[in-house]
Amino acid sequence: MVQLLPIFAVFIWALNIVVTRYVAEFVSPVSISFYRWLIAFLLLTPFIFKKVIQQSPQIKQYLPQLAVLSAFGMVLYQGLAYTASHYTTATNMGLINAFIPVFTILVSLIVLKEKPTIFAIVGGVLSFLGLLYVLSQGHMSNLISHGSFLGNALMLVGVFFYAFYGVFLKKWKIQLPLLLSLYVQIIFALIYHLPLIYWFGLDHINSQNASSILYAGIFPSLIAPFLWMKSVSFIGPNRTSIFMNLMPVFTAVIATFWLSESWTIFHTVGGLIILGGIILAQKKQ
């Protein structure tokens, strides 16, 4: 039964990718990103604000780190993903999102000076070739000429930023309860959004986007991280991380039925190559 926790978490995140693509026509990237963290902030505040006051001395020690984590994980990654949804498919976004473990290995080399194993190098190259195959539909000339090039590129950059988020978490080892750390990061995310709202404006919540915004603020922002953290505590981070490989599968299935996105032979072949490379990259010896 414990193994169901990460499965539910990944399903929620995969559904959020499809929701992101669906709502792209009804709300701007800046607006849905701001509303998402505002809802999460309002829901968490009654339960955690007292703890923030009680542990304010400990929180002050980590404010610079929490500010950086918020920028990379909640603003840059999420903002680029919401922007990418205007230019590419949810299926492609799910496949690119699966690159987080591979990019994490690369960023660990840059930040932590951790040398990758031969499995990580071969797996990373294999996964990247699989992604190129999917996005180009078997012809490399399609990478630039294809209409979704901008969206795919933005999503790749966003995933790269999220890899920094994971590596910084590992480097700094912030000694705060996870929900408390999440709450402070959400506050920083809301602050970061203020100049963006001033520049781009804020869309109104209406009947077309309300349910999607509410979903984004509750399920992928609060429930999925809680399930994921519980899974890590029960079965460990390594076994839990393997379930992230289900992300492109769940995303593709949901997008096929909800958005009528086509699943092609390129997705099947390329997806298998990507997942094979990711599994290989996670091997230790």
Side-chain angles (χ1 to χ4, degrees):
M1 288 297 292
V2 175
Q3 283 77 6
L4 291 177
L5 295 178
I7 292 176
F8 283 137
V10 172
F11 180 82
I12 289 171
W13 282 322
L15 181 57
N16 186 58
I17 291 177
V18 180
V19 168
T20 297
R21 180 65 188 89
Y22 167 77
V23 81
E25 309 301 325
F26 307 120
V27 63
S28 69
V30 170
S31 297
I32 188 173
S33 184
F34 174 76
Y35 284 133
R36 169 181 180 171
W37 298 120
L38 178 62
I39 291 171
F41 170 78
L42 293 175
L43 290 175
L44 272 181
T45 296
F47 304 99
I48 207 166
F49 185 74
K50 185 177 180 180
K51 293 182 180 179
V52 172
I53 301 300
Q54 293 172 343
Q55 300 190 36
S56 57
Q58 295 93 324
I59 293 173
K60 288 179 180 178
Q61 300 176 34
Y62 298 108
L63 281 180
Q65 292 93 328
L66 293 170
V68 172
L69 289 173
S70 175
F72 277 90
M74 296 183 175
V75 180
L76 292 172
Y77 167 67
Q78 294 294 344
L80 287 169
Y82 285 127
T83 305
S85 67
H86 287 255
Y87 304 101
T88 190
T89 65
T91 301
N92 284 353
M93 291 173 66
L95 285 170
I96 295 171
N97 210 74
F99 262 75
I100 290 175
V102 174
F103 279 169
T104 300
I105 293 171
L106 175 61
V107 175
S108 295
L109 173 63
I110 299 171
V111 177
L112 304 179
K113 310 301 180 184
E114 290 184 355
K115 294 183 178 180
T117 66
I118 187 64
F119 293 111
I121 296 172
V122 175
V125 172
L126 187 64
S127 292
F128 191 69
L129 291 175
L131 181 64
L132 290 179
Y133 179 78
V134 174
L135 301 182
S136 67
Q137 297 185 350
H139 300 282
M140 292 302 170
S141 60
N142 289 338
L143 282 175
I144 298 178
S145 60
H146 201 276
S148 61
F149 170 76
L150 178 59
N152 296 331
L154 289 172
M155 193 66 194
L156 269 174
V157 175
V159 166
F160 192 65
F161 280 133
Y162 195 79
F164 273 97
Y165 178 84
V167 172
F168 283 145
L169 270 177
K170 181 178 181 180
K171 179 182 180 180
W172 291 326
K173 296 182 174 63
I174 295 174
Q175 301 299 311
L176 291 173
L178 290 172
L179 282 179
L180 191 60
S181 172
L182 177 65
Y183 183 76
V184 177
Q185 290 177 55
I186 289 173
I187 294 175
F188 276 115
L190 292 174
I191 295 172
Y192 292 143
H193 277 83
L194 295 180
L196 297 174
I197 292 172
Y198 176 79
W199 184 262
F200 294 104
L202 186 66
D203 293 345
H204 294 295
I205 298 177
N206 54 47
S207 59
Q208 291 180 309
N209 59 35
S211 58
S212 298
I213 290 173
L214 197 60
Y215 175 85
I218 298 175
F219 290 90
S221 302
L222 298 177
I223 295 179
F226 177 78
L227 295 175
W228 192 259
M229 289 185 291
K230 280 292 184 182
S231 175
V232 169
S233 66
F234 283 130
I235 66 177
N238 292 334
R239 288 177 62 191
T240 300
S241 66
I242 295 174
F243 287 91
M244 191 60 75
N245 295 331
L246 292 171
M247 176 77 76
V249 179
F250 284 162
T251 304
V253 171
I254 298 169
T256 299
F257 286 98
W258 186 359
L259 304 179
S260 299
E261 291 185 3
S262 59
W263 179 267
T264 67
I265 185 63
F266 302 108
H267 290 100
T268 301
V269 175
L272 290 174
I273 295 173
I274 291 170
L275 292 179
I278 290 171
I279 294 172
L280 184 64
Q282 292 180 5
K283 286 178 65 68
K284 299 298 181 183
Q285 59 182 353

